[in-house]
Amino acid sequence: MKNILLYLTLIPFVFLFLMSFAEAVIAEQVDDGVLKKATFAGGCFWCMEKPFEKVDGVVSVVSGYAGGTTENPTYENYGAGGHIEVVEIKYNPAKVNYNQLLDIFWRQIDPTDTGGQFVDRGHEYSTAIFYHDDEQKELAEKSKATLDNSGRYDKPVITPVIPAVPFYMAEDYHQDYYKKSPIRYKFYRYGSGRDKFLDKIWGKDRKGSKKDMSEIKKNLTPLQYEVTQKDGTEPAYKNEYWDNKKPGIYVDIVSGEPLFSSIDKYDSRTGWPSFTRPLVPASIVEKEDRKLFIKRTEVRSKEADSHLGHVFADGPEPTGLRYCINSASMRFVPAEDLEKEGYGDFLQLFDEVTK
């Protein structure tokens, strides 16, 4: 009987050992070629991570330096050594192929610019495709030729297709910068001129295929889906945040991009959350709306294109505006949770509250 009890006690440990062994075997298989690498240079590497990271089949996107003559470059000296900013991507070819990655790459850059990318000038911000095998070389050269002949640009496509060279990972603070410092990233990206140029060249489809609608739908409640994707409106006074008085910020329910702050929230006596201004103006898009046979200004999120509500010119000082927003289009992040949820840049707004 004692032996039986001993065996029963050991079973969980044996199971954990077998699971760990299986994971090690899988990891070894991955390192042995299940995953493939792609390396792209598109100017500032901060702007090149997010478009690839959200793709199903992409396992990792790492910012770094490549193409120069010095070993172990740093952010302070990589340019002097001839390196350029790149991202190294590891992906599962069974889920996403190299042509799809190339399509995403072209939609992030100006492939005709010989002096850098947008506001960033100099060789270190050059564009390039570093191929890792003959197949990648062939596909990259073909896609480059197709783009060059498309008539999309009035200048030649000059992005070089060159063999992969040693990759040096950039400092930790550069990795996933758009997540760690969303505000600085938003202002940098908005001010760089990148999005303005890409919208002009690619129009609505510059980001490639939009996220599958079924994927969005399964992550939202029926009301959230109706409001954000079908331009719906929730009932007044019967929504989550109309009378929320807690300190914090409101982010897009689909993408998580920061939209509004409790500091700018006020009671408009309409039954919907109301704000005098957006927290990050670059996160908001305004469009003319005549659906009710009157001219209104619709408010949508920049990244996710979620319908948020409308803005009216009947608000209080200092702006005189009333951003009337649906609770269902937002998620509230309390001030005390900003750091752990990746919105640490906003903590200083609530210093008195969080002390």
Side-chain angles (χ1 to χ4, degrees):
M1 186 67 177
K2 290 182 179 179
N3 289 336
I4 293 175
L5 291 176
L6 177 61
Y7 293 146
L8 290 175
T9 304
L10 290 174
I11 285 175
F13 295 99
V14 173
F15 177 76
L16 289 174
F17 171 78
L18 292 174
M19 288 294 293
S20 299
F21 178 75
E23 290 176 359
V25 170
I26 292 172
E28 184 177 345
Q29 289 176 342
V30 166
D31 291 338
D32 197 33
V34 173
L35 297 186
K36 299 190 72 173
K37 286 183 183 178
T39 306
F40 300 116
C44 176
F45 44 33
W46 294 348
C47 297
M48 297 299 291
E49 289 185 323
K50 186 176 181 180
F52 292 105
E53 284 189 342
K54 63 183 182 181
V55 176
D56 185 30
V58 169
V59 176
S60 67
V61 183
V62 179
S63 290
Y65 316 108
T69 57
T70 57
E71 293 185 1
N72 302 313
T74 67
Y75 190 65
E76 286 70 33
N77 63 23
Y78 77 95
H83 294 281
I84 60 178
E85 295 192 9
V86 303
V87 289
E88 183 180 81
I89 301 163
K90 289 186 179 180
Y91 66 99
N92 184 345
K95 291 186 176 182
V96 58
N97 61 51
Y98 192 65
N99 265 331
Q100 290 172 293
L101 299 180
L102 286 168
D103 185 57
I104 295 169
F105 169 70
W106 293 124
R107 294 170 191 265
Q108 313 307 316
I109 68 167
D110 177 1
T112 70
D113 194 337
T114 59
Q117 285 290 284
F118 312 107
V119 74
D120 297 311
R121 312 312 298 164
H123 171 72
E124 56 266 44
Y125 298 107
S126 301
T127 63
I129 298 173
F130 294 91
Y131 62 84
H132 290 267
D133 54 40
D134 290 340
E135 181 186 21
Q136 287 189 354
K137 177 183 179 183
E138 181 181 351
L139 292 173
E141 289 179 340
K142 183 177 180 179
S143 70
K144 176 182 175 180
T146 299
L147 186 65
D148 197 26
N149 295 325
S150 68
R152 198 175 288 272
Y153 303 97
D154 56 6
K155 293 185 291 184
V157 172
I158 55 91
T159 297
V161 177
I162 52 183
V165 293
F167 168 83
Y168 300 96
M169 181 177 175
E171 293 78 357
D172 285 345
Y173 67 89
H174 285 303
Q175 308 303 327
D176 286 329
Y177 188 82
Y178 73 95
K179 294 179 182 177
K180 297 174 181 175
S181 303
I183 298 307
R184 296 188 189 117
Y185 172 76
K186 285 279 187 183
F187 278 113
Y188 164 76
R189 175 131 192 164
Y190 179 77
S192 72
R194 185 183 291 257
D195 286 337
K196 184 177 181 180
F197 173 84
L198 298 176
D199 284 339
K200 176 183 176 182
I201 297 297
W202 292 95
K204 293 181 179 179
D205 61 325
R206 75 172 179 85
K207 295 179 182 178
S209 301
K210 292 186 69 175
K211 185 184 288 187
D212 188 275
M213 194 59 68
S214 62
E215 181 182 346
I216 294 176
K217 194 170 185 177
K218 73 181 182 182
N219 292 321
L220 302 177
T221 67
L223 179 60
Q224 290 169 341
Y225 182 80
E226 177 66 24
V227 168
T228 61
Q229 308 303 309
K230 301 295 183 180
D231 303 346
T233 301
E234 66 195 4
Y237 296 104
K238 295 181 180 180
N239 55 79
E240 190 171 3
Y241 302 129
W242 76 271
D243 62 346
N244 182 31
K245 297 179 177 62
K246 296 178 181 178
I249 69 171
Y250 296 81
V251 303
D252 186 282
I253 192 67
V254 177
S255 67
E257 57 191 305
L259 300 173
F260 298 96
S261 165
S262 62
I263 295 172
D264 304 307
K265 189 173 186 290
Y266 73 101
D267 183 3
S268 63
R269 301 183 185 279
T270 61
W272 289 285
S274 298
F275 308 85
T276 57
R277 57 190 169 193
L279 177 57
V280 182
S283 295
I284 299 295
V285 175
E286 297 181 2
K287 296 183 177 181
E288 183 177 305
D289 177 9
R290 292 184 178 271
K291 292 188 182 71
L292 298 182
F293 304 104
I294 58 172
K295 184 179 178 181
R296 296 185 299 167
T297 302
E298 180 193 10
V299 180
R300 304 187 73 88
S301 64
K302 172 73 174 179
E303 182 66 27
D305 194 34
S306 301
H307 171 72
L308 304 176
H310 293 82
V311 59
F312 303 93
D314 58 7
E317 295 297 331
T319 65
L321 299 175
R322 170 171 60 94
Y323 286 84
C324 187
I325 309 299
N326 289 281
S327 292
S329 66
M330 303 184 294
R331 181 173 70 86
F332 178 68
V333 182
E336 62 268 23
D337 293 339
L338 290 175
E339 187 71 53
K340 71 179 183 181
E341 292 212 25
Y343 300 100
D345 278 355
F346 298 111
L347 268 175
Q348 59 183 353
L349 298 177
F350 304 98
D351 280 347
E352 295 302 317
V353 177
T354 55
K355 283 181 179 177

